[in-house]
Amino acid sequence: MATVFLAEDTSLHRKVALKMLAERYAEDEQFVERFRREAQSAAGLNHPNIVAIYDRGVAEGTYYIAMEHLEGPTLKDAIDQRHGLQHTRAIRVAPQNLAARRAR
């Protein structure tokens, strides 16, 4: 549905993750609304296990969400690279994941 790029916020001189709605969905009102709700919901969260949302909007017909950039792989990428998640690692990560899911 979207692609995430590493970008630079030139006004604040920081790296950001820029999530951009795929072009093929930009004309679909349902996808655009879903993307907008995702940004709005995430922007209302403040938790150490959830990236911060800095901005959302439309630029040159492209919908975007600018968010905090964190170094390192995503959890999904880490799992894929290791062909699964060892039990000990899963036990360490699970409480963080659950805490983030409970955030409101």
Side-chain angles (χ1 to χ4, degrees), residues 1-7 15-22 31-44 51-59 62-69:
M1 170 169 153
T3 305
V4 180
F5 298 95
L6 177 60
K15 291 181 181 178
V16 297
L18 192 62
K19 185 174 190 176
M20 299 178 69
L21 184 63
F31 276 100
V32 171
E33 179 60 20
R34 184 174 164 193
F35 194 75
R36 187 195 64 73
R37 278 195 318 258
E38 175 188 337
Q40 187 172 352
S41 295
V51 296
I53 302 297
Y54 298 140
D55 191 21
R56 72 168 174 86
V58 183
T62 301
Y63 295 86
Y64 70 88
I65 303 171
M67 62 189 88
E68 176 183 13
H69 171 260

